[in-house]
Amino acid sequence: MKVLKKIAAPFIAIGRWIKETAWVQPLLIVGCVFAIIFSIPSITKAIQEATKSTDIEWYAVNQLSLDGTAKGTSEVDKFLVDYNNAQDAWSDGKYDEARSAMSKYGSGDRFVLFFIQSDCTGCEDTQEAYSYLTDNWDSLINNETDSEGNTIKYADFSYVSIIADEEVEDDADYEKKNPFEYLYGNGNFYSFVYDAIAAGTTSNYYRFGTESSTIKTNLENIVSTESASGSFSANFQTPMIVEFNLTETNKSQYIIANVLYKTVGDDVYERSEFLVDMWKRKGVFSDNGKE
């Protein structure tokens, strides 16, 4: 008890001094008020981050629905069929046939497929970066000229999305499973994933970028035995950003050009510049990882 009294004695003395010194009390009250005011932005930000969920409306504009995966009739199933037909044609040198098979999904023979979920913060960052990029397309993309002074035009950006936790109409076919999980029994889905693994782990960005181990691990987890029998939310990482390139500039055997799991940058401007580099094949997306 004597030890506790000795420890408490200084605090008791301070409390008594504050109580007996009238001019100190208003200063303490004012200090507390200002401390609360200055802490409000931090508190607000913390609450916003804690409750933040992805605004999927932008993705949903060009959504490929999972409704029907139990029977293999969904828009996603049809996309996978078209993809495999296009990839087979591309491998056989039938480039126009490949472009025709995928023409409904993008403009200019180039587009992006997003896999997202509603509780994915990285999906929000990606959406903001792509929205900013498309809103400023001419100033960020079509801002170069050739030796004759003509503007260099790049293929317009277009995209489709698969919302992995999409809720479909209640149907006994789903047996309380998420419709995305039925893709694990779909041969076309596995062909797509194995192509994504091959293309995604041989791209320039995989060689020179900052997320090589993430790309490899996340892609391989999709087709692992554990992943196939487990919950997709635990094994299928989002955002998964798949770029398709069916232009004449693609000399690869795959129509998948890049697989990414995030847009790199500290803010929307840096992340949009990262996407500019991808679209123009500059920086870590170039053949030497620099230009």
Side-chain angles (χ1 to χ4, degrees):
M1 290 298 292
K2 290 182 179 180
V3 174
L4 292 176
K5 286 181 179 180
K6 288 182 178 180
I7 295 173
F11 297 100
I12 295 172
I14 292 172
R16 186 181 299 114
W17 178 75
I18 292 173
K19 183 178 180 181
E20 294 175 353
T21 309
W23 63 270
V24 174
Q25 296 176 35
L27 289 179
L28 289 175
I29 293 172
V30 172
C32 290
V33 170
F34 275 103
I36 292 171
I37 291 173
F38 288 129
S39 65
I40 286 175
S42 298
I43 294 172
T44 302
K45 183 178 180 180
I47 293 173
Q48 290 174 340
E49 290 297 324
T51 59
K52 186 178 181 181
S53 61
T54 302
D55 179 2
I56 64 174
E57 291 182 3
W58 183 83
Y59 292 104
V61 170
N62 295 315
Q63 178 185 358
L64 300 175
S65 177
L66 291 164
D67 193 7
T69 52
K71 297 179 180 178
T73 58
S74 72
E75 291 177 346
V76 174
D77 286 287
K78 294 173 183 176
F79 170 83
L80 292 171
V81 170
D82 288 337
Y83 164 77
N84 280 284
N85 288 337
Q87 180 57 58
D88 288 344
W90 189 268
S91 297
D92 291 338
K94 302 175 182 178
Y95 305 121
D96 288 338
E97 184 178 325
R99 295 183 183 108
S100 177
M102 300 299 280
S103 61
K104 64 175 74 77
Y105 303 107
S107 61
D109 301 324
R110 198 172 172 195
F111 68 96
V112 173
L113 168 64
F114 298 102
F115 289 86
I116 67 130
Q117 298 182 67
S118 58
D119 61 349
C120 163
T121 55
C123 299
E124 187 79 10
D125 291 340
T126 297
Q127 179 263 317
E128 289 178 351
Y130 271 105
S131 291
Y132 182 82
L133 174 61
T134 53
D135 289 344
N136 299 275
W137 191 258
D138 284 338
S139 61
L140 293 175
I141 296 292
N142 295 328
N143 59 354
E144 299 174 271
T145 57
D146 59 21
S147 58
E148 297 180 356
N150 299 312
T151 300
I152 300 174
K153 293 285 187 179
Y154 289 85
D156 290 339
F157 171 73
S158 57
Y159 70 97
V160 290
S161 306
I162 296 175
I163 301 175
D165 56 353
E166 175 191 356
E167 294 183 4
V168 301
E169 294 182 6
D170 188 20
D171 193 316
D173 290 331
Y174 290 103
E175 300 175 351
K176 298 182 179 180
K177 290 171 64 176
N178 186 291
F180 188 88
E181 294 184 37
Y182 282 91
L183 296 179
Y184 285 121
N186 185 323
N188 287 321
F189 176 69
Y190 281 108
S191 294
F192 164 77
V193 173
Y194 281 117
D195 287 347
I197 293 173
T201 56
T202 55
S203 68
N204 289 336
Y205 181 66
Y206 182 81
R207 295 167 57 207
F208 303 115
T210 59
E211 58 168 336
S212 299
S213 59
T214 299
I215 292 171
K216 182 178 177 64
T217 299
N218 288 350
L219 284 170
E220 290 179 347
N221 278 347
I222 299 174
V223 292
S224 69
T225 302
E226 180 181 354
S227 296
S229 61
S231 168
F232 82 90
S233 61
N235 299 292
F236 195 95
Q237 300 299 313
T238 56
M240 178 174 164
I241 307 163
V242 185
E243 181 204 354
F244 293 85
N245 185 1
L246 292 91
T247 69
E248 294 180 355
T249 62
N250 182 9
K251 305 303 180 182
S252 166
Q253 61 179 310
Y254 298 104
I255 61 176
I256 294 175
N258 280 293
V259 179
L260 299 81
Y261 282 91
K262 69 176 181 179
T263 48
V264 177
D266 293 331
D267 55 38
V268 66
Y269 308 109
E270 290 185 2
R271 288 192 287 271
S272 64
E273 286 293 339
F274 170 79
L275 296 174
V276 168
D277 285 346
M278 185 185 81
W279 214 246
K280 293 185 175 184
R281 296 293 184 259
K282 293 187 175 182
V284 291
F285 296 95
S286 66
D287 289 339
N288 62 12
K290 298 177 182 179
E291 297 179 356

